[in-house]
Amino acid sequence: MNTRLTWICHGATAANRKALFPLDEPLEEKAVEEAARIAALPYADRIVTSPALRARQTAEALRLEAQIDPSLRDCDHGRWAGRSIEAIEAEEPENLMAWMTEPGVAPHGGESLLDLRKRVAGWMDAQSAQSGHVIAISHAAVIRAAVAHVLQAPPSSFWLSDVEPLAIVRMTSNGSRWSLRLPH
């Protein structure tokens, strides 16, 4: 049973540009235009998107009819949502450092990076059991968690991959393990 998974990171938002922990903000107008210029994507058996406005708008700009899948939601940043990393660093430097260095903690009251990875891995395993091609529009944090899962990398590796807005990451599964698929 083979599964192809094409991750698409949502387009840029004001929160991206200002280094804010995201809320449910819309795409920037330029991001809508950039998404609309992406070449046609191959046929997919399932097209799913995070419930976030920015992900749904990315799917629309790509001319994809996507079903909302709550498992693809962004990391829950708790009380830090909508605030800048700079402000958190000034007000709660120990908490920010703990969140960035200890994947199992969530000092903001939201989701730890370890919990995010478990959620994403569970979703990927469910997709692998169905086979076919899946296109998933989600968030940089979700895609980072997926990459770390596929590489069986330690949880601390989360910060070692950078996923830009509108990035496309491809993976395949043979039913027993996932692999990254790098374009030529």
Side-chain angles (χ1 to χ4, degrees):
M1 214 163 21
N2 292 323
T3 304
R4 290 185 308 141
L5 174 55
T6 301
W7 290 103
I8 302 173
C9 187
H10 66 75
T13 67
N16 293 130
R17 304 268 183 236
K18 296 177 184 176
L20 302 175
F21 286 97
L23 290 168
D24 196 18
E25 66 277 339
L27 292 179
E28 293 180 332
E29 189 59 39
K30 183 179 177 184
V32 173
E33 295 167 7
E34 289 173 352
R37 287 194 301 268
I38 289 178
L41 296 162
Y43 169 81
D45 299 291
R46 296 177 303 286
I47 303 172
V48 290
T49 184
S50 158
L53 177 61
R54 58 196 179 275
R56 290 183 287 122
Q57 286 180 324
T58 300
E60 290 171 16
L62 291 167
R63 297 168 301 285
L64 297 174
E65 292 185 35
Q67 299 296 313
I68 293 173
D69 190 327
S71 295
L72 297 178
R73 68 191 180 280
D74 203 353
C75 185
D76 177 358
H77 295 104
R79 62 186 166 77
W80 292 353
R83 301 187 61 216
S84 72
I85 293 172
E86 185 177 271
I88 301 301
E89 185 174 36
E91 296 168 19
E92 304 179 49
E94 304 86 17
N95 286 341
L96 183 62
M97 183 57 69
W99 182 68
M100 294 183 76
T101 59
E102 300 173 42
V105 304
H108 45 57
E111 186 175 30
S112 74
L113 298 178
L114 197 55
D115 288 339
L116 170 67
R117 182 168 168 170
K118 288 177 186 174
R119 171 169 49 94
V120 172
W123 181 85
M124 291 173 66
D125 290 345
Q127 299 307 306
S128 182
Q130 295 181 48
S131 74
H133 181 207
V134 183
I135 295 176
I137 299 100
S138 194
H139 309 274
V142 170
I143 298 170
R144 280 188 198 135
V147 169
H149 172 64
V150 168
L151 295 177
Q152 300 175 14
S156 60
S157 68
F158 177 85
W159 300 108
L160 299 179
S161 59
D162 188 18
V163 180
E164 295 184 356
L166 299 176
I168 298 174
V169 177
R170 292 178 174 86
M171 300 176 176
T172 58
S173 172
N174 64 6
S176 63
R177 70 175 178 83
W178 283 94
S179 300
L180 279 177
R181 186 172 190 194
L182 302 174
H184 56 278

